[in-house]
Amino acid sequence: MSVLRQLYQLQLVDSEHQDKSRQLAMVNDGLGESDEVTRAQEAIVETETSLGQLMAQLRALEIEIAGVDTKLKQNQDRLYSGRVRNPKELSNLQEEAAALRRRRSQLEDGQLDLMISVEETEAELAERQARFNQIEAAWRDEQARLQAEKEELELRLVELEEQRDGMRSHIGAADLDRYDSMRPRLGGTAVARLKKGICTACGVDVPTSMARAVERGDGMHAGPICGRLIFGR
C-alpha cells in the first residue's frame, strides 16, 4: 500500500475519531442535572409552601370560630338560665350575642374563602406534581439513552485510537510530520482523492501531467489550489 493511501486511511480514522469526540462532548453536556426538572421541583415546593400557609390560616380560623361559639353558648346559657332579671344586664347579653353572631358570620365567610383557596391550591399542586413526574420520567429516559450512547462512543474511541496507533507505526516519521502539520490547517483533510482529474476536496482540475503522475503513484503531489496531498487509485 502506498504511503499516500496509508495517510488517507489514517485520515479517515482521525476524522471519525474527531467526530466521535465531538459527539461524546455533546453527550457529556447532556448528562447530569436538568434545569427543567429543577424548575418543576421548585414549583412544587412553592405550591406546597402556599398550601401549608393556607392550611395554617384555616386552622387558626377554625380555632377562632370555636372560641366564638364557646362564648356564644356561655352567653345563651346565661341569658336563658332565668338567673338574670336585670333589664340592663339582659339587654347587654342580647347585644353581646348579636355581636358574637356577626363575628361568627364574618369568620365563616373567611373560612369559606380559605377553603376555596385550599381546594384550588391542592388542584394546582396535583397538576404540578403530574407535570414534574412527566418531566422527570422523560429526563430519566434521556439520561439512560445518553449513558448508553456515551459508553458506545467511548468504546469506539478506544478502538479508533488502537487502530490509529497501529497505522501510524507503519508510516515514516517525516510523512507523519507532514500529514500532522497539514491536517489542522486544511480543515482536517490533508489527503484528497483524485477522481477524473479533479481534486475531490476542492473540486479543482489538476494539471494533466500531475494527474498522470498521481495515477501512476509517482511521488507525492499537492493540489495546485488547495495544497492537499493527492492520490489516485
Side-chain angles (χ1 to χ4, degrees), residues 63-99:
I63 292 171
E64 189 173 356
I65 290 172
V68 171
D69 285 341
T70 299
K71 289 180 181 179
L72 184 58
K73 183 178 184 304
Q74 291 171 348
N75 171 280
Q76 295 297 286
D77 288 345
R78 187 177 180 194
L79 181 62
Y80 295 107
S81 66
R83 294 192 299 271
V84 179
R85 293 186 172 81
N86 185 293
K88 177 66 174 175
E89 189 173 354
L90 287 171
S91 177
N92 289 340
L93 286 171
Q94 290 171 343
E95 290 176 3
E96 181 186 39

Side-chain angles (χ1 to χ4, degrees), residues 3-4 7 171 174-175 178 210 214 217-222 229-230:
V3 173
L4 283 173
L7 290 174
I171 303 173
D175 293 325
R178 186 176 184 183
M210 181 185 291
V214 168
D218 293 342
M220 287 191 179
H221 301 273
L229 298 175
I230 304 173

Side-chain angles (χ1 to χ4, degrees), residues 61 65 99 101-111:
L61 204 55
I65 290 172
R101 289 190 181 96
R102 286 194 300 270
R103 179 57 180 161
R104 185 176 63 182
S105 178
Q106 292 172 350
L107 292 173
E108 287 174 343
D109 288 343
Q111 183 185 40

Side-chain angles (χ1 to χ4, degrees), residues 142-153:
E142 179 67 4
Q143 291 295 294
R145 184 191 69 78
L146 288 173
Q147 185 61 38
E149 185 177 355
K150 177 182 178 179
E151 293 170 3
E152 182 179 340
L153 286 168

